[in-house]
């Protein structure tokens, strides 16, 4: 995977979001909620 290779090459710390912990990434949760509410997602996150 290109992102993991880039992370290894640059030495950046990689942090995962724990399963069942959407509050660790509130920005994307809010974005996906608004996207689904407007109908633009077309069931993408259903």
């Amino acid at each position: 995977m290109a992102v993991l290779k880039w992370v290894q090459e640059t030495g950046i710390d990689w942090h995962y979001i724990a399963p069942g912990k959407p509050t660790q990434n509130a920005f994307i949760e809010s974005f996906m909620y608004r996207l689904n509410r407007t109908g633009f997602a077309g069931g993408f996150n259903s």
Side-chain angles (χ1 to χ4, degrees):
M1 201 163 147
V3 173
L4 294 178
K5 182 180 176 186
W6 176 79
V7 166
Q8 290 173 347
E9 291 172 355
T10 58
I12 294 174
D13 289 333
W14 186 262
H15 299 279
Y16 291 96
I17 296 171
K21 301 287 184 182
T23 55
Q24 291 181 350
N25 193 357
F27 174 78
I28 195 64
E29 291 297 320
S30 174
F31 172 77
M32 291 305 294
Y33 172 77
R34 285 183 271 132
L35 186 66
N36 285 327
R37 292 280 295 185
T38 60
F40 286 116
F44 173 73
N45 197 29
S46 299

